Amino acid sequence: MIATFSINGRTRDVDVQPNQTLLDVLRDTLGIFDLKEGCSEGVCGACTVLLDGRPVSSCLILGLSARRRRIMTVRGLAGDGELHPLQQAFLRHGAVQCGFCTPGMLLTGLAFLERHPNADRAAIREALAGNLCRCTGYAKILDALEAYARELNGRG
Amino acid sequence: MRSKPTRASSTDVADAVGLERDLRLVGQRVIRHDARDKVTAATAFAADWAMPGMLHGVVLRSLYPSARIKNIDATRAASMPGVAAIMTAKDVPRNTLWTDVPGQTTAVGSLRAKLHVLAEDRVRHQGEPVALVAAETEEQAREAAEAIAVEYELLPGVFDPAQALEPGAPRVHEEGNLLAHWRVCHGDVAAAFARAAVVIEGDYRTQFVDAAYLEPESGVAWIDSDGVITIRVSTQVIEHFRDVAEVLNVPQNRVRIIGTYLGGGFGGKEDVTVEVYLGLLAWKTGRPVKMVWSRQESLLARAKRHPFRLRYRTGALRTGQIVAQEIELLADAGGYAYLSALVLLYATVTAAGPYRVPAVSVDARVAYTNNVPTSAMRGFGAMQVVFGYESQMERVARALGLSPVEMRKINALSRGDTLPVGQVVDTHVALPELAERAWAALGELTPPRAPHVKIGRGLACNFQPYGRIVWLHDWSSAWVGFEMDGSLVVRSGVPDVGGGQASSLCQIAAEVLGVPLEQVSVYIADSALTPLAGTTTASRQLYMSGNAVLKASRELCEQLLKAAAAVLGVDRDAVGLADSAVRTADGRSLPLPELLHACSRMGVPRSHLGVYHAPAGEPVDLEKGAGKVFPDYTYGAHAAEVEVDTETGVVKVLKLVAVHDVGRAINPLSVEGQIQGGAVQGLGYALMEDVVVEKGINMTTSFASYLIPSAVDVPDVRAIVVESGEGLGPFGARGIGEPPIGPPAAAVANAIEDATGARLSVLPLTSERLARALGLM
């Protein structure tokens, strides 16, 4: 059936099968590869997108349930050629290795810090518990998120 | 705790060659070009690729660990909607993949390890590939695969390597279950034990673990317009184009592998994964085919790290000096050989640790079973033995009342010492300094937060070879050239697994040729278009391809400066390249584009192909101890502080300091990332990771049951980078990809003993095992 999606501020009408996950709709039907498929069971967080500003594992929800809700992927972060300050923090702090977890880390971290701008490192760590990374050992990802939080608070 | 990466030159390396100073880019914390692409999700991973008219391929896998295939009936499946091809062993032109393993002992004979592409008359492990299906959609392909009727006759299996070596055990392969056997015999072990004041015996066991890269095995294959079978795939080894050609029975120059930036490899993408299956299906159907293995499939069937049983008997004098090590290793190869014989060789060579031990015997065997196969994973056999030798070091130190640091200082290798296999250590060993710094960096002891909580500390050191075995005559090549506008191009067949392999090459070329990093473009990992650079394995890529780029860049610099000197009418020694221009000693400058145009007129090439050959040697008889096995080693020391809840056995790692002498950090951000990430994988190995295989059946085939560390499971690892300048890589670098995964398990086990007095000798160090050891259950 044809359903209307709002993806990174753009409206798209998509032919969606009722059994398709949001991940399948975005990756297979629309060719939006910003989100990655790491486990297909909601554990690794690589397929994270923001749904109305909240991080969700897109492999766990049906595509149709995201109709007319605001979907944001990593492409929605950067402005015209300008990286988002959180993306810049990831670069400066060496938070990226293979990059497969990076989209999910960015979106989960951003959503959390927008709600909790005064969060300390321990709280950010808890917020990342659903996003696995096999390369970095997390320290540099936390460095980047903490630096971005300081920036948000004008302490950067 | 904030992670505070520390970088300091080695202070206690008087006999080191010294670091080259005045470098502009090498040694800087530069932002990698690939990281920019990855934060915007511009990087197209192997599964982020599609072709018009593309089919989807799936693998049908064996349900049973040991069975005879009596019949395969695919008639119903072949008639199902959307099915384009079904292939079984009989449809594969050459159904065997070969791995040459050099230098086996007479006990086993020479070995060409073999693996069937698709199972023929029997299966030897659960998850073994039996058939392939290609269909219009992945769903159709899966449905058709399920409809293939495979008639199995179950056979007895063997699931323990010790039982596999007993007489009368079911034979996994016709030639018997002993896959490889290595021995080392160095000095008079019996006489040495007679001199020892203390003898400690230990029996340790390590588990199966999975590489668990976040990107599952994936790729797309198509027949290109020139008829070449082209496979875009996530692999650590683009040279597998030869294996695909072999299987398809086509010339090697008719298969091309385009390696993608990998979503992690850790050794698990060293053997072939999807590329042979993709090649077969594209060849059979003439259409593009995509294959992505699910996480469950990857956990079920991909090769794991070898479980080892390690028996140690260690003798020491009252002074703490180790005089004898008697070591027996037994590893589980699972159903097929893969790289098991080589993994065991690494374990054999490093089994006594980075210590001067006058008498050592090692008897190491690896046996076939009907378990999931085992092969390469970060650390490659030199990892499992760290748990053995560092547990022993701790126990000897405790028996003699020595501190962990003193114990390492007394026994550490130094330049000029000979390893048990007869290799003379010819570079600096900073081990005493590394151990001291790791221990000191733990800082103040954390006070226990409750009376039933105990705090303890442990130390563990390791050494890990980097670069391939010298008798494999390893080499790498790279092409470096200028475009007419002064922008620079680097081409090298290097797969980038996420460690910054490609970026480091750019840094080296830009450093030598005096251009900003932003002016370098790098093309990697294309078996048809980039000069071959060998595998991204064995912590070798910076060492080997870094040297190839360095050589190409220096030669190119030299040919350009000779031309510049002629143009400017000065001596060669009076010109240099800096800031994209030729600079003369008397203050004149010539912009690079002008020089490059002059070179064109004069017929001076603007590029150079550099080939680096590693120091090579002939195979040595390990048992007789005849000489060099590896080019060099990277040394490290980790110190851990743990808290143990003595009412539940729950262990929490509070601090982990990881110190490695990396020779030279080309990009300290990347080096720290390798150390922190490797150490956390090592903590996963220590505390939680465990592929549970019961009678050949894998019980942990999802990320919900196979647990890897999340952010809340581990502390921030403090990485301390020591630079002795003693490595064989560019600017004195050593390999750092694998080494940091080695020490954490032993450091944590030693810390647990420090906290509680309980010695755990089976990995992972779970709360259940500790609770038992503490008498709680």
Side-chain angles (χ1 to χ4, degrees):
Chain A
M1 61 182 286
I2 304 291
T4 304
F5 288 83
S6 158
I7 304 163
N8 297 328
R10 271 187 62 198
T11 302
R12 308 268 300 256
D13 289 332
V14 191
D15 189 3
V16 178
Q17 302 302 309
N19 64 348
Q20 272 188 302
T21 62
L22 179 57
L23 179 141
D24 290 339
V25 172
L26 292 172
R27 284 184 61 91
D28 298 347
T29 309
L30 291 172
I32 295 174
F33 292 119
D34 304 14
L35 56 156
K36 309 300 168 188
E37 184 166 16
C39 73
S40 326
E41 57 188 22
V43 177
C44 78
C47 68
T48 301
V49 298
L50 299 188
L51 203 55
D52 294 332
R54 299 269 190 169
V56 297
S57 291
S58 62
C59 70
L60 285 190
I61 64 170
L62 290 173
L64 286 175
S65 68
R67 271 182 302 176
R68 292 189 293 274
R69 298 172 70 183
R70 284 182 296 119
I71 300 166
M72 185 169 137
T73 73
V74 163
R75 303 272 168 129
L77 265 182
D80 290 335
E82 273 288 294
L83 292 181
H84 186 279
L86 183 58
Q87 291 171 313
Q88 291 175 12
F90 266 56
L91 293 181
R92 231 173 21 250
H93 291 274
V96 180
Q97 286 192 33
C98 87
F100 207 77
C101 77
T102 305
M105 289 289 182
L106 283 165
L107 294 173
T108 301
L110 181 77
F112 178 73
L113 290 176
E114 280 185 352
R115 277 164 201 279
H116 307 94
N118 294 310
D120 64 5
R121 194 173 178 98
I124 301 172
R125 186 185 290 284
E126 290 286 337
L128 289 189
N131 288 77
L132 296 175
C133 169
R134 192 56 158 169
C135 299
T136 66
Y138 303 101
K140 290 191 186 306
I141 293 173
L142 291 165
D143 290 347
L145 287 165
E146 230 186 351
Y148 174 66
R150 280 198 302 276
E151 244 176 86
L152 276 182
N153 290 303
R155 292 181 274 126
Chain B
M1 188 178 73
R2 292 257 295 124
S3 73
K4 286 194 207 108
T6 309
R7 179 161 171 265
S9 294
S10 192
T11 49
D12 188 28
V13 285
D15 54 344
V17 292
L19 290 169
E20 199 179 327
R21 305 287 171 186
D22 303 327
L23 296 174
R24 190 171 47 86
L25 284 169
V26 163
Q28 298 300 311
R29 306 170 78 82
V30 306
I31 292 172
R32 290 156 38 177
H33 66 272
D34 60 301
R36 286 182 197 281
D37 298 338
K38 288 166 181 170
V39 293
T40 56
T43 306
F45 290 98
D48 302 342
W49 196 257
M51 302 279 287
M54 184 172 80
L55 297 166
H56 296 263
V58 301
V59 180
L60 175 69
R61 297 174 180 278
S62 163
L63 297 172
Y64 306 106
S66 180
R68 188 176 313 287
I69 295 178
K70 294 178 75 177
N71 188 41
I72 302 178
D73 181 359
T75 19
R76 190 165 79 83
S79 66
M80 286 173 69
V83 173
I86 293 179
M87 299 182 80
T88 60
K90 64 180 177 12
D91 306 309
V92 181
R94 290 175 176 165
N95 194 36
T96 306
L97 285 164
W98 294 96
T99 309
D100 279 304
V101 180
Q104 281 293 294
T105 59
T106 49
V108 180
S110 64
L111 181 76
R112 283 190 79 205
K114 78 175 179 188
L115 179 68
H116 287 145
V117 177
L118 293 171
E120 293 180 354
D121 56 347
R122 66 163 297 183
V123 289
R124 295 178 172 85
H125 67 92
Q126 185 201 23
E128 182 171 346
V130 173
L132 304 175
V133 180
E136 301 295 335
T137 69
E138 189 179 339
E139 205 178 351
Q140 288 171 334
R142 294 212 180 278
E143 276 169 15
E146 277 170 30
I148 297 173
V150 184
E151 197 183 332
Y152 292 104
E153 175 195 333
L154 300 193
L155 296 173
V158 61
F159 308 104
D160 174 87
Q163 284 171 12
L165 295 177
E166 280 168 14
R171 289 198 162 204
V172 181
H173 291 271
E174 288 308 309
E175 61 269 26
N177 292 340
L178 180 61
L179 162 58
H181 189 180
W182 302 102
R183 278 203 201 90
V184 169
C185 219
H186 173 68
D188 188 337
V189 175
F193 273 113
R195 289 201 295 141
V198 55
V199 174
I200 299 285
E201 291 188 32
D203 189 347
Y204 306 92
R205 284 168 194 270
T206 70
Q207 76 279 38
F208 284 104
V209 300
D210 193 273
Y213 24 73
L214 281 198
E215 179 204 34
E217 299 78 358
S218 42
V220 177
W222 64 94
I223 316 262
D224 215 70
S225 54
D226 52 9
V228 171
I229 296 159
T230 305
I231 308 170
R232 190 179 184 277
V233 61
S234 175
T235 178
Q236 296 175 240
V237 183
I238 61 169
E239 285 79 359
H240 285 317
F241 74 87
R242 298 199 183 100
D243 297 299
V244 178
E246 196 68 20
V247 167
L248 291 176
N249 195 18
V250 300
Q252 292 181 1
N253 64 3
R254 302 305 287 165
V255 177
R256 170 184 179 191
I257 289 200
I258 301 171
T260 57
Y261 282 82
L262 283 81
F266 316 117
K269 295 170 186 168
E270 175 170 353
D271 297 301
V272 294
T273 62
V274 295
E275 52 270 62
V276 169
Y277 303 124
L278 282 169
L280 280 165
L281 289 172
W283 169 81
K284 175 90 174 175
T285 62
R287 288 174 63 183
V289 184
K290 182 173 193 169
M291 182 178 282
V292 180
W293 288 353
S294 69
R295 174 62 53 190
Q296 294 70 20
E297 193 174 8
S298 178
L299 282 165
L300 171 76
R302 282 300 302 146
K304 312 298 178 209
R305 182 189 297 289
H306 295 73
F308 269 57
R309 177 163 190 187
L310 313 110
R311 287 194 171 105
Y312 274 79
R313 197 164 155 250
T314 306
L317 304 181
R318 223 167 280 286
T319 57
Q321 192 199 333
I322 306 282
V323 290
Q325 286 276 27
E326 191 174 52
I327 302 162
E328 263 182 63
L329 307 175
L330 178 59
D332 187 344
Y336 288 93
Y338 285 95
L339 298 167
S340 287
L342 287 173
V343 169
L344 189 72
L345 185 149
Y346 275 63
T348 306
V349 171
T350 57
Y355 304 112
R356 185 189 306 119
V357 189
V360 176
S361 78
V362 186
D363 188 278
R365 292 172 301 162
V366 57
Y368 289 117
T369 66
N370 295 105
N371 291 326
V372 60
T374 47
S375 190
M377 187 179 161
R378 193 178 199 170
F380 205 85
M383 172 173 183
Q384 290 92 334
V385 292
V386 184
F387 186 56
Y389 64 69
E390 286 302 87
S391 294
Q392 290 291 103
M393 288 298 277
E394 179 72 16
R395 295 177 62 198
V396 171
R398 284 185 175 273
L400 293 168
L402 292 166
S403 80
V405 175
E406 276 176 284
M407 184 68 196
R408 272 65 179 199
K409 281 181 156 178
I410 291 165
N411 290 289
L413 283 171
S414 56
R415 193 200 303 271
D417 286 336
T418 303
L419 298 177
V421 287
Q423 171 163 7
V424 176
V425 175
D426 50 12
T427 58
H428 180 71
V429 182
L431 207 65
E433 184 197 344
L434 306 182
E436 243 173 27
R437 293 185 61 173
W439 199 247
L442 285 177
E444 293 287 307
L445 194 70
T446 306
R449 55 177 173 78
H452 64 278
V453 166
K454 298 221 183 304
I455 306 289
R457 289 178 165 187
L459 180 71
C461 300
N462 77 329
F463 73 145
Q464 173 83 40
Y466 64 90
R468 303 183 74 195
I469 297 168
V470 297
W471 59 79
L472 296 176
H473 296 254
D474 198 12
W475 62 278
S476 173
S477 56
W479 182 98
V480 179
F482 275 110
E483 284 307 325
M484 297 310 291
D485 60 359
S487 60
L488 189 65
V489 176
V490 176
R491 292 191 175 93
S492 186
V494 171
D496 190 316
V497 296
Q501 282 80 12
S503 169
S504 296
L505 302 183
C506 298
Q507 252 179 298
I508 292 164
E511 176 74 51
V512 174
L513 292 162
V515 297
L517 194 56
E518 300 71 44
Q519 280 195 24
V520 186
S521 278
V522 62
Y523 298 89
I524 59 169
D526 185 326
S527 71
L529 301 181
T530 55
L532 292 182
T535 62
T536 302
T537 68
S539 304
R540 69 178 281 288
Q541 209 52 279
L542 174 66
Y543 160 45
M544 296 296 299
S545 303
N547 272 335
V549 167
L550 182 65
K551 201 171 164 188
S553 303
R554 284 185 171 155
E555 298 278 345
L556 175 59
C557 184
E558 193 54 33
Q559 72 205 36
L560 292 178
L561 287 179
K562 273 187 193 155
V567 170
L568 293 167
V570 296
D571 283 349
R572 155 67 189 87
D573 295 340
V575 286
L577 285 177
D579 305 327
S580 294
V582 181
R583 311 268 171 193
T584 66
D586 57 7
R588 286 183 292 156
S589 76
L590 176 68
L592 203 45
E594 287 183 31
L595 170 64
L596 295 165
H597 280 94
C599 285
S600 287
R601 284 194 301 277
M602 296 189 297
V604 174
R606 290 175 283 108
S607 63
H608 194 88
L609 177 69
V611 183
Y612 175 73
H613 291 275
E618 292 313 306
V620 302
D621 182 334
L622 295 187
E623 191 162 355
K624 292 190 180 127
K628 195 166 207 158
V629 180
F630 294 104
D632 191 26
Y633 300 82
T634 301
Y635 300 84
H638 291 199
E641 184 180 281
V642 303
E643 79 167 33
V644 179
D645 183 325
T646 56
E647 289 178 349
T648 61
V650 170
V651 177
K652 187 175 178 202
V653 178
L654 301 176
K655 298 177 188 171
L656 186 72
V657 182
V659 191
H660 292 268
D661 174 9
V662 305
R664 154 75 82 171
I666 303 296
N667 182 351
L669 266 185
S670 295
V671 171
E672 289 160 9
Q674 286 303 303
I675 294 175
Q676 291 170 327
V680 164
Q681 282 186 0
L683 287 176
Y685 187 61
L687 295 167
M688 59 204 296
E689 291 183 38
D690 197 359
V691 176
V692 178
V693 185
E694 288 179 7
K695 292 202 180 306
I697 303 298
N698 188 330
M699 312 299 283
T700 44
T701 60
S702 78
F703 266 174
S705 52
Y706 183 75
L707 303 181
I708 65 172
S710 76
V712 294
D713 296 317
V714 289
D716 292 321
V717 173
R718 178 155 174 210
I720 298 180
V721 175
V722 170
E723 298 182 291
S724 65
E726 282 280 302
L728 304 179
F731 304 97
R734 281 177 163 143
I736 191 61
E738 295 172 278
I741 201 174
V748 171
N750 291 345
I752 290 171
E753 183 175 15
D754 184 48
T756 65
R759 164 57 52 183
L760 295 185
S761 52
V762 178
L763 291 179
L765 311 165
T766 58
S767 51
E768 188 185 332
R769 288 195 171 115
L770 183 53
R772 282 183 200 285
L774 294 173
L776 298 174
M777 49 192 293

